Amino acid sequence: MSAPVPHSPFEDAQGLLVGSALCGFGIHILASAGLVTGQTAGLAVLLSYATGVGFGAIFFAINLPFYWLAYRHLGRAFTLKTFAAVALVSGFAELAARLVQVMPAHPAVAAVLFGLVAGAGLLAIFRHRASLGGVGILAYYLQERMGWRAGWVQLAFDLVLFGAALLLMAPDLVMWSLLGAAILNAIIGVNHRRDRYIAT
């Protein structure tokens, strides 16, 4: 069996750009319905609702402490690409909020669309050896070192965050949010497998 062919810098750049754009737009869909998601992005969304500060600025700031873990355990290239992905998602989310008007017919529609769009975006980011920081860094580390599926690790963290969200949001919105997170993590859990996708 031949060795896997690494992604070129151009392939990495376009993968991170497209993945980040999808994730940023997914966050905009989510916020338009007053929903939340898990991981660091979910914390940023909750803080944005509570403070009125834009998601992008909060998301970028709360990811800063996690880059040291990424650098120590996952390397310089992973850390730089993750930093770029977080910055791009922050920017795309703010840009979408200004330029794109989204009016979901029902929170369930927003939840499903978010799960599909952001799941595809996060899959692209993961496949180019990056993450969206925070819990994503830990999930990626555990998948690479322990063989645990990144999607399932993130889902466990999501459940804790959704429990906290119940203290701040209406229960029905939290339940629809959980649907979106489940779809997103199922896409990652089923499709992001080292034994099938071998390009680095």
Side-chain angles (χ1 to χ4, degrees):
M1 180 177 176
S2 61
V5 178
H7 289 124
S8 68
F10 172 77
E11 289 170 335
D12 278 339
Q14 64 82 31
L16 294 178
L17 185 67
V18 172
S20 297
L22 288 172
C23 288
F25 184 59
I27 289 291
H28 178 52
I29 294 172
L30 190 82
S32 71
L35 303 179
V36 71
T37 188
Q39 310 158 63
T40 314
L43 178 59
V45 170
L46 283 177
L47 290 174
S48 178
Y49 291 160
T51 65
V53 177
F55 164 85
I58 296 175
F59 183 59
F60 183 82
I62 63 178
N63 268 294
L64 293 175
F66 292 95
Y67 294 124
W68 177 243
L69 174 66
Y71 182 78
R72 286 285 302 273
H73 296 287
L74 296 167
R76 179 173 177 268
F78 177 90
T79 304
L80 290 175
K81 287 191 281 189
T82 293
F83 181 86
V86 169
L88 286 168
V89 170
S90 299
F92 279 128
E94 293 298 320
L95 191 63
R98 288 172 170 77
L99 300 180
V100 181
Q101 186 176 14
V102 178
M103 299 178 64
H106 189 276
V109 175
V112 171
L113 287 176
F114 163 76
L116 295 174
V117 172
L122 192 56
L123 181 62
I125 289 170
F126 273 9
R127 284 187 168 180
H128 288 272
R129 293 186 59 81
S131 80
L132 287 185
V135 174
I137 290 175
L138 180 59
Y140 191 93
Y141 170 76
L142 291 174
Q143 173 161 297
E144 293 294 296
R145 294 293 187 267
M146 306 291 292
W148 298 357
R149 297 282 185 85
W152 307 139
V153 171
Q154 290 180 104
L155 183 58
F157 281 97
D158 289 349
L159 293 174
V160 175
L161 184 58
F162 284 121
L166 283 170
L167 302 175
L168 302 173
M169 299 169 56
D172 63 320
L173 292 181
V174 175
M175 293 306 297
W176 290 124
S177 298
L178 185 59
L179 171 64
I183 292 172
L184 183 153
N185 284 288
I187 289 173
I188 300 300
V190 170
N191 292 285
H192 187 56
R193 294 180 54 172
R194 295 182 67 196
D195 58 337
R196 290 183 179 172
Y197 190 84
I198 60 174
T200 59

